[in-house]
Amino acid sequence: MTENINNNTEKKRILSGIQPSGALTLGNYVGALRNFVELQEEGLYESFYMIADLHSITVRQEPKNLRKNTMDLLALFIACGLDPKKDPIFFQSHIPAHLQLSWVLTCNTYMGELSRMTQFKDKSRKHENNINAGLFTYPSLMAADILLYQADLVPVGEDQRQHLELTRDLANRFNNLYSETFKIPEAYTPKVGARIMSLQDPTQKMSKSDPNENSYILLLDPIDKAVKKIKRAVTDSEACVKRGEGKDGVMNLMSIYSAATNKSFDEIELEFEGKGYGDFKAAVAEAVAYTLKPIQERYNDLMKNKDYLEEVYKESAARASYVANKTLSKVYRKVGFVQP
Ligand code: TYM
């Protein structure tokens, strides 16, 4: 029965998204975007990539910044290597089905489940003057994003795992109540770099909302600035490049280096045996610069071609909404809405 849910395609499906609520960090790249590109290159999946603008407004946004960040993010997706000819890259707000399914799922989500979400708790703490209902029901919208496309796999960083678990629960609940409707999606987190930490406090996640700008690297940081941030990264007094207790800073740099070079932790330890943090940081900085430079060049070219970007998001929305609307009408029928 579940095999038929995807209807006319034999390929498994992927959906993922990133919020356009500020500049992208190296954490977003290593934890998510880089894996979108790798998975697309493998060619085993039919994928849908989304710029989650509806999610962004759960935190107050300056409209003109939101518009700019949304276009920037589309250009960055492509600059990082995603090919919109292969798979659509769309703006979430262009497909009303996300909100329509979200309502149905919200009516099947318990307050207790939403109260347990750590992202809700974190964001409520950070934005205590704007703890709005959307911030609370955010995970039901995220579940709608995923379930609309009957996604098998959802590439995300570690911090989204809890939302994925809830999505699976909601899909199972709906299937049990109304008969088999949704695929049960799996999270796909990378082996290395699923949680890139702050360069200044390696017990905290690297995040663009951190007030200390030395704690994160942005994909569009000027290269010399990114290099400086790595050189200033917090390490420890042991001066030894290896894994171990109390070496969170070094292990974080090892993750970044590993992601940028594809070297394993064992190889990295061997490479820097007998060398100090100066040499290690110089190598990490060089690897990061090598990663960022071509992305920034492609991004700059793409931003000169707004017509192309417009073509991409329009065509993508048309492709994605076809799939989304199919699931939505099935859901509307099953819950008992009269067909329009
Ligand atoms: P967002 O926009 O906060 O982050 C986008 C992706 O980047 C990952 N990420 C990280 N990975 C490793 N280390 C870090 N420091 C780091 N910081 C962020 C996140 O895990 C995420 O994969 N709710 C989502 C957006 C979303 C979504 C979806 C994702 C909306 N609908 C449906 C997947 C499927 C979010 O806020 O991600």
Side-chain angles (χ1 to χ4, degrees):
M1 176 100 193
T2 36
E3 295 89 84
N4 295 332
I5 292 178
N6 271 359
N7 297 326
N8 52 9
T9 169
E10 278 160 36
K11 275 190 175 175
K12 289 198 168 186
R13 292 235 180 104
I14 284 181
L15 175 120
S16 196
I18 299 186
Q19 292 191 64
S21 44
L24 275 205
T25 68
L26 191 64
N28 295 129
Y29 178 71
V30 173
L33 197 40
R34 184 176 71 108
N35 309 306
F36 302 173
V37 177
E38 267 181 29
L39 288 162
Q40 187 179 60
E41 282 169 358
E42 275 176 26
L44 301 175
Y45 296 89
E46 181 187 12
S47 307
F48 297 84
Y49 288 111
M50 177 186 76
I51 312 234
D53 52 359
L54 296 172
H55 278 96
S56 284
I57 62 163
T58 53
V59 169
R60 201 80 70 212
Q61 303 287 330
E62 186 64 48
K64 81 173 183 321
N65 293 344
L66 179 58
R67 215 168 288 124
K68 178 176 186 317
N69 289 334
T70 303
M71 290 304 290
D72 275 5
L73 194 47
L74 173 61
L76 265 177
F77 271 43
I78 302 170
C80 286
L82 271 188
D83 179 356
K85 280 208 258 359
K86 288 189 187 152
D87 298 305
I89 309 172
F90 61 93
F91 298 150
Q92 187 185 24
S93 63
H94 288 186
I95 305 189
H98 288 252
L99 292 166
Q100 293 166 304
L101 180 60
S102 157
W103 176 249
V104 176
L105 295 178
T106 301
C107 295
N108 286 284
T109 314
Y110 303 124
M111 301 287 283
E113 288 174 313
L114 295 172
S115 316
R116 282 195 289 278
M117 295 292 119
T118 54
Q119 185 167 302
F120 171 68
K121 291 187 216 163
D122 285 350
K123 289 204 174 168
S124 304
R125 239 176 276 125
K126 276 193 198 139
H127 305 278
E128 45 180 29
N129 295 324
N130 184 23
I131 307 178
N132 59 75
L135 194 61
F136 190 63
T137 58
Y138 177 121
S140 308
L141 175 58
M142 180 161 160
D145 301 335
I146 296 166
L147 300 180
L148 269 181
Y149 299 90
Q150 306 289 359
D152 297 274
L153 207 65
V154 184
V156 280
E158 195 57 49
D159 63 342
Q160 295 300 317
R161 262 192 184 277
Q162 196 186 26
H163 290 156
L164 246 294
E165 279 309 314
L166 178 62
T167 302
R168 290 164 60 86
D169 290 346
L170 295 182
N172 276 317
R173 185 171 305 154
F174 191 96
N175 287 351
N176 290 334
L177 271 170
Y178 297 102
S179 83
E180 199 73 23
T181 309
F182 296 123
K183 273 273 181 79
I184 309 300
E186 303 243 2
Y188 172 94
T189 46
K191 279 190 208 77
V192 174
R195 193 172 171 82
I196 296 293
M197 309 308 279
S198 152
L199 298 176
Q200 291 300 312
D201 175 2
T203 62
Q204 299 296 315
K205 185 183 78 167
M206 180 182 283
S207 161
K208 56 207 162 201
S209 61
D210 196 312
N212 181 353
E213 68 160 2
N214 282 323
S215 71
Y216 53 76
I217 290 176
L218 300 179
L219 286 194
L220 296 177
D221 263 346
I223 300 292
D224 56 338
K225 198 169 172 185
V227 166
K228 271 197 198 121
K229 288 180 181 178
I230 288 171
K231 298 215 164 146
R232 285 193 192 128
V234 167
T235 47
D236 53 67
S237 55
E238 207 187 16
C240 182
V241 180
K242 63 173 170 61
R243 287 157 283 191
E245 189 85 7
K247 296 184 69 71
D248 297 338
V250 169
M251 289 196 292
N252 191 36
L253 290 176
M254 288 173 80
S255 298
I256 293 173
Y257 189 60
S258 170
T261 60
N262 279 326
K263 291 178 186 168
S264 68
F265 273 45
D266 286 339
E267 287 169 324
I268 297 170
E269 287 177 352
L270 211 61
E271 182 179 349
F272 294 98
E273 210 170 50
K275 293 187 185 154
Y277 291 154
D279 286 339
F280 177 50
K281 283 182 172 177
V284 179
E286 194 185 329
V288 168
Y290 187 78
T291 304
L292 297 191
K293 213 158 167 258
I295 294 175
Q296 296 184 357
E297 284 167 4
R298 281 195 295 267
Y299 166 84
N300 288 330
D301 282 345
L302 283 160
M303 289 310 280
K304 288 184 208 134
N305 196 346
K306 296 278 163 60
D307 289 348
Y308 169 70
L309 294 176
E310 190 177 322
E311 206 178 291
V312 168
Y313 70 69
K314 285 189 171 163
E315 270 180 22
S316 295
R319 284 164 74 188
S321 55
Y322 175 77
V323 175
N325 287 334
K326 236 164 142 170
T327 305
L328 182 73
S329 49
K330 211 184 273 180
V331 169
Y332 269 20
R333 189 162 33 79
K334 292 203 184 191
V335 299
F337 296 155
V338 173
Q339 295 295 293

